[in-house]
Amino acid sequence: MKSSAFELKHARTLGEATELLAGADGNAKVLAGGQSLVPMLNLRLARPKLLVDIKRASGFRELAADDKVFSIGAGWTHAEIEDGVLEDPTRGLLRSVAHGIAYRAVRNRGTMGGSLAHADPAADWVSTLAALGAVIVAQGGEEQPKRYAAESFVDGAFSTKLGESEVIAAIEVPRLSADASWAYQKICRKTGEFANAIGVAVLDQKAGIKRVLAGATSGSPALLPETAARLAEAGPGAACEIAAEEIRRVLPNLDIDTQELHAVAVRRALATLGGRQGR
Amino acid sequence: MTQVSMTVNGGGVAADVEPRTLLADFLRSELHLTGTHLGCEQGVCGACTVVLDGRIQRSCITFAADCNGADVTTIEGFDDDPTMQELREAFSECHALQCGFCTPGMLTTARDIVLRLGDIDERALREELSGNLCRCTGYVGIVAAVKKVAAGRKPNVAAAVAPVTVSRFEGSRSRPASLLATNGPVTRSSAAAKAAPIGGSAGGTSIEERVRVAAPPEQVWSILSDLKRVVPCVPGAEITSLDGEDLVGKVRISLGPIKVAFNGQAKVGMDSSKREGWLTGRGRDSGQGSSAAGSARWSVIADGPSASLIAVTLTWKLSGPLAQFNRAGLVQDVVRRLATAFAENLEASITGAAPPRRKTTLGGLGLIWSVIKARLFSRQ
């Protein structure tokens, strides 16, 4: 099995990558870690004429922080996040999620930005960053980078707001306070495979973050604002009671059993959160 | 061809490779290091695992041309490695190999586990090993062997990592506007209809989309009965020829990195008394070898005196690589968005007033979003 022929260019800067993409008439793909793209190339599902490698591009692995935000360059790998090579502004959520992505050999090469741009609905970062209310920063042709809210970045399977010549440069993750609690649950039959359902809950009253999310839907992840409000007011137990109903309402297109699977993932996340708060 | 030079098992290698040459194929075919095995060639089975710049990686989803300057160690390069020596002995003692196909990858992964994580419990060990599949299912022996070597070892996470520098954050403080539509953009009824198969496309998956149009059914139907106007409303669809009920055409679908172009034939029909139309066809993507059979059915239903509902049902069945790749729900999501776009385009074609909304392919959903935003906004 081998990919169809393509040209490979190594961009030295993200700006150069943007130019290469813009000049390729929609027939180019960005190559970061390639851990989702290369399987598609091998299966010849994707047949781009040009691959623009950005692994070594300057500006792809910047880190910037203050007391509210931690900005992670898109080129950091899942394994680096898992190992705590960089600070985790979410008090363990990012590290925990990174550890659960695929397998170590894949985590060693796959990047956070690449996973987001690929936008597989079942990918872990898509749901996690949406639940955190992160901001995705993309470099396009203009001088000013574009900024996208993570919760509305993914439009559906493999579709994002990203323009054809835009490259994700960084992900701005809000810092969680010492009061914060979070829980992440995914349902999959085998370790490391794409999830059938993801439930995420993040509660940080001090930082004003209260979010509950059902992920790994067939399209974009679904925030559950009512369940989240209930969580903040009355606790995880009360939130559990209304989660299933809200899921049925916000994901009406899914089959009943799939809706229930999502409800289970969300309830598990809420229950885990309750257990953590109790300590 | 791209020139690469890398270190493989301690020795320098320089070669011209095609950009599409996988590292695994380069190692096996050019360097004759056939200890690296190729199983799934899509990053799942782990047989091709090698050490690349100190970290285990999949050589079947890594291009050789992307490894310029890299340091690669394959299973052949561990002859003098003390940890691997212990693992080899333990694998032998614990009967941790049967056919041997997974063994190079198993050993390479196991070495990483014992060096990085040390003495971990069996549950964690099995989880760490889960990226390597043994087709003989001999996991009990493999786990026992790795456990034996890991016993008493200290973890060594994040060894040999350069210190990171964090600069002061000077980005914007404001959050970008979020379109908090959690389930797609449109407030229309939509159901995963288990529709009766249409025109012989039995056994397919089916979905229905409905869109409300502010025009009476007669007017809507008069436009919908014009096929030359209806078919181009399917995103990416083109009519090559239309002769009576025989239609030859093309549908291009662009979905992230996946681009397919189905060339095919269809039969179309219409029943003006019921205000119903249908199209049944099949097509094949020549590049990829995927094929699809499917149908579209549309009907106009009165919704009060001056409005109509257009109901669109799409049914499809895929075969070939695209079907192989499909995970539950993904293709369904694509077709649902296709149906949505079809309904949108039909509506645009009828009302005529809107700016050109027609989407050429399903690639840039941004266009649709802007239309929908405008529409939601105007309702408020």
Side-chain angles (χ1 to χ4, degrees):
Chain A
M1 188 160 44
K2 194 172 279 185
S3 164
S4 56
F6 56 81
E7 201 184 342
L8 176 67
K9 286 185 179 162
H10 304 278
R12 281 159 299 182
T13 62
L14 292 184
E16 194 177 280
T18 297
E19 281 165 29
L20 287 167
L21 291 172
D25 198 23
N27 283 315
K29 282 299 296 176
V30 172
L31 176 69
Q35 300 300 280
S36 298
L37 180 61
V38 183
M40 279 192 177
L41 294 171
N42 283 355
L43 287 165
R44 296 203 174 194
L45 284 169
R47 280 167 293 164
K49 296 218 165 58
L50 171 69
L51 285 193
V52 179
D53 170 43
I54 53 171
K55 263 186 295 301
R56 293 157 200 95
S58 66
F60 191 47
R61 283 168 61 87
E62 309 265 297
L63 294 173
D66 66 10
D67 58 336
K68 292 277 194 310
V69 178
F70 190 87
S71 171
I72 302 172
W76 288 89
T77 65
H78 314 310
E80 285 166 328
I81 295 166
E82 175 189 17
D83 291 350
V85 174
L86 48 150
E87 187 200 334
D88 181 351
T90 64
R91 296 174 184 267
L93 175 57
L94 295 185
R95 280 188 75 170
S96 161
V97 167
H99 174 72
I101 296 174
Y103 316 106
R104 181 73 183 182
V106 171
R107 298 199 287 274
N108 274 332
R109 198 166 182 86
T111 64
M112 186 186 252
S115 169
L116 283 171
H118 185 70
D120 191 305
D124 294 272
W125 292 134
V126 168
S127 290
T128 308
L129 295 167
L132 280 165
V135 175
I136 293 159
V137 183
Q139 185 68 55
E142 298 101 58
E143 198 155 313
Q144 279 297 314
K146 288 246 185 76
R147 304 174 79 247
Y148 300 102
E151 65 267 28
S152 56
F153 179 70
V154 173
D155 285 328
F158 309 120
S159 288
T160 67
K161 295 274 185 295
L162 218 54
E164 283 214 327
S165 58
E166 287 176 14
V167 182
I168 299 178
I171 299 97
E172 294 170 6
V173 182
R175 274 188 193 283
L176 296 187
S177 77
D179 294 353
S181 51
W182 54 261
Y184 187 89
Q185 289 282 335
K186 63 176 170 179
I187 296 176
C188 39
R189 289 204 168 173
K190 177 184 175 292
T191 318
E193 76 172 5
F194 278 108
N196 298 113
I198 291 175
V200 200
V202 182
L203 183 62
D204 188 351
Q205 306 269 26
K206 212 168 163 184
I209 299 173
K210 46 172 189 210
R211 289 161 89 101
V212 178
L213 176 141
T217 67
S218 52
S220 49
L223 282 175
L224 307 172
E226 287 170 29
T227 306
R230 193 74 175 268
L231 169 67
E233 287 153 19
C240 270
E241 284 167 21
I242 63 163
E245 191 274 323
E246 193 176 13
I247 286 169
R248 283 194 291 276
R249 207 152 16 90
V250 301
L251 295 167
N253 291 328
L254 299 180
D255 296 336
I256 295 167
D257 54 340
T258 313
Q259 288 173 338
E260 185 53 28
L261 200 66
H262 285 285
V264 169
V266 168
R267 282 199 297 258
R268 280 186 190 169
L270 289 168
T272 314
L273 196 76
R276 288 199 181 139
Q277 284 178 328
R279 267 188 268 137
Chain B
M1 299 293 253
T2 308
Q3 222 200 0
V4 288
S5 60
M6 58 181 104
T7 307
V8 179
N9 299 334
V13 177
D16 277 334
V17 295
E18 261 193 273
R20 62 174 164 169
T21 304
L22 297 165
L23 177 61
D25 286 327
F26 177 69
L27 294 169
R28 289 175 55 84
S29 307
E30 301 298 321
L31 306 183
H32 305 297
L33 295 169
T34 53
T36 298
H37 290 172
L38 277 168
C40 70
E41 300 191 86
Q42 45 186 298
V44 175
C45 79
C48 69
T49 307
V50 298
V51 177
L52 183 56
D53 292 329
R55 292 173 168 272
I56 55 165
Q57 300 191 32
R58 304 281 206 232
S59 60
C60 77
I61 49 174
T62 300
F63 294 116
D66 208 14
C67 295
N68 198 28
D71 183 5
V72 183
T73 309
T74 68
I75 193 69
E76 291 92 343
F78 289 112
D79 285 359
D80 303 321
D81 182 86
T83 314
M84 201 59 105
Q85 179 60 33
E86 279 184 57
L87 281 165
R88 279 194 296 263
E89 282 163 18
F91 266 57
S92 171
E93 281 165 31
C94 301
H95 303 284
L97 76 163
Q98 293 174 44
C99 81
F101 190 82
C102 72
T103 310
M106 280 290 180
L107 284 169
T108 307
T109 301
R111 180 179 171 276
D112 174 66
I113 293 170
V114 300
L115 289 177
R116 186 166 52 88
L117 301 171
D119 197 351
I120 50 174
D121 66 39
E122 183 169 329
R123 192 190 155 84
L125 176 56
R126 282 180 174 268
E127 194 191 310
E128 291 292 329
L129 268 178
S130 65
N132 289 69
L133 303 182
C134 166
R135 64 187 183 184
C136 312
T137 69
Y139 295 106
V140 171
I142 295 168
V143 169
V146 183
K147 230 170 140 178
K148 199 173 172 197
V149 177
R153 281 179 185 263
K154 296 258 180 306
N156 187 19
V157 179
V161 171
V164 298
T165 42
V166 181
S167 62
R168 172 132 196 97
F169 179 72
E170 275 159 11
S172 166
R173 281 252 161 252
S174 62
R175 294 207 68 235
S178 158
L179 303 163
L180 270 180
T182 47
N183 183 48
V186 199
T187 49
R188 62 158 59 92
S189 72
S190 163
K194 301 278 184 285
I198 314 164
S201 62
T205 317
S206 192
I207 63 160
E208 188 193 57
E209 283 284 324
R210 280 164 182 250
V211 64
R212 194 170 179 277
V213 187
E218 314 81 70
Q219 192 194 338
V220 174
W221 179 251
S222 73
I223 289 159
L224 281 192
S225 53
D226 179 1
L227 273 180
K228 289 234 153 89
R229 222 165 146 176
V230 172
V231 173
C233 288
V234 177
E238 258 170 58
I239 299 180
T240 316
S241 73
L242 177 62
D243 179 15
E245 62 169 12
D246 293 309
L247 185 149
V248 179
K250 187 190 262 192
V251 183
R252 283 176 296 124
I253 299 173
S254 149
L255 176 72
I258 302 172
K259 289 186 167 72
V260 279
F262 290 113
N263 287 295
Q265 287 111 37
K267 294 252 182 230
V268 286
M270 238 167 277
D271 183 342
S272 286
S273 64
K274 289 184 184 157
R275 298 196 187 106
E276 239 179 46
W278 58 88
L279 179 155
T280 308
R282 54 180 61 248
R284 194 179 142 78
D285 176 273
S286 54
Q288 195 185 77
S290 292
S291 46
S295 63
R297 165 169 283 186
W298 58 98
S299 60
V300 182
I301 312 155
D303 185 29
S306 59
S308 322
L309 283 176
I310 305 173
V312 178
T313 307
L314 290 183
T315 307
W316 72 95
K317 195 177 175 181
L318 289 171
S319 52
L322 199 59
Q324 226 175 56
F325 173 76
N326 179 29
R327 294 202 319 269
L330 285 193
V331 171
Q332 195 157 338
D333 179 63
V334 175
V335 178
R336 176 168 294 118
R337 285 185 293 144
L338 208 67
T340 311
F342 180 44
E344 292 274 342
N345 288 336
L346 278 178
E347 191 189 16
S349 166
I350 289 158
T351 56
R357 300 173 174 188
R358 196 170 106 65
K359 289 170 52 56
T360 50
T361 65
L362 201 65
L365 246 98
L367 184 63
I368 269 227
W369 274 90
S370 60
V371 171
I372 287 144
K373 256 195 310 185
R375 194 207 271 187
L376 288 176
F377 187 72
S378 66
R379 271 185 194 157
Q380 282 163 1

